[in-house]
Amino acid sequence: MTDRLVIRRPDDWHAHFRDGAMLDAVAPHTARQFARAIVMPNLVPPVTTVAAAAAYRDRIRKAAGPGFEPLMTVYLTDGLDPDEVERGHAQGVWVAAKLYPAHATTNSAHGVTDVARIARVLERMQKIGMNLLVHGEVTDKHVDIFDREKVFIDKVLDPTIRNFPGLKIVFEHITTREAVERVKAAPANLAATITPHHLHIDRNAIFEGGVRPHLYCLPIAKRAHHREALRKAACSGDARFFLGTDTAPHAVEAKEAACGCAGIFCAPAALEAYVQVFDEEKALDRFEAFASLNGPAFYGLPVNEARVALSRAPNALSETTLAAGTRVVNFLGGRTLPWRYDGAA
Ligand code: NCD
Ligand code: ZN
């Protein structure tokens, strides 16, 4: 039995850091485990200019401390100028663009109303080799919330792939068997991130003994067989699946409310949560590929040289993290996890 794992330092290919006091509190948790993170741009107002992204990057560097590099993204809106997108990419300020369908999730009011409206931007991104990151859900209220990802594949993703066959796309935080199958069937320019929570919970967990607002995120967790498909995909070693936590902190009051926010804060024990799954699936030998190799390969970035260690040891995770004068509930908080992150190896 493997009791200690040493892997290249991983990266988080999907993180929400927020801003101000919340940023200061949460960024160190991600920086403790990851060398780099793709920073999602859904602030209020969203990050849509090179200047705003550069300033946000500075604030993150300050909050996270040395040894961590934020990889910035631009928030796509209907009216965004392709020249601005290219300028930010050429200057190295952002590495990718995030497509939020308008009103799909937290802070997405300024998102794209119709992909046809950003055709010129997508054409430019295809030309300059800039990745498109998609929140893969349709927003039509008449589509059942548990079907929104599946319908997105047919209505939005497939036409986008057909129209821009050279565009590199990351299907973010996938939650369904259909998404796994779609990625596996595609050429190498489509990849997907998978969160720790979607590997741990299915939709029953959200209603176990009462409503569990801290397990509510978007895309919402699906049936058990979807979770099984995600676990198999993550642990398969297939280079198109890689780590993206979607850590999404909200103050406890914003979650425990009549209309609670979507988002799960998993940064404090993200690696421990992932490695537990790989252990359960008898795939510890494939953990490094998922956590540390597949992401950089897809983004065309070097892998990290440093190594980190994880060991099999009881690891009591606190319920909450103090942040911005309040608390944020930790994913798996209050549990004793079977693995511990030991830091630099
Ligand atoms: C994210 C957030 O809170 O910013 N929420 C979530 O449920 N995942 C937004 C997102 O990634 O959809
Ligand atoms: Zn997200």
Side-chain angles (χ1 to χ4, degrees), residues 173-174 192-196 198-199 230 233-234 241-245 274 290:
H173 43 50
I174 58 169
T193 55
I194 306 179
T195 76
H198 290 110
L199 295 172
L230 297 171
F241 299 101
F242 48 86
L243 186 159
T245 65
Y274 278 118
F290 178 78

Side-chain angles (χ1 to χ4, degrees), residues 14-16 18 40 42 98 100 105 135 172-173 195 218-219 245-248:
H14 188 134
H16 299 269
R18 316 305 189 203
M40 290 299 162
N42 61 331
K98 179 71 186 283
Y100 287 103
T105 184
H135 181 107
E172 297 292 337
H173 43 50
T195 76
L218 289 171
T245 65
D246 195 23
T247 180

Side-chain angles (χ1 to χ4, degrees), residues 219-233:
I220 196 161
K222 309 295 192 298
R223 287 179 183 275
H225 72 82
H226 293 292
R227 185 185 73 128
E228 286 314 309
L230 297 171
R231 289 171 70 104
K232 292 281 170 305

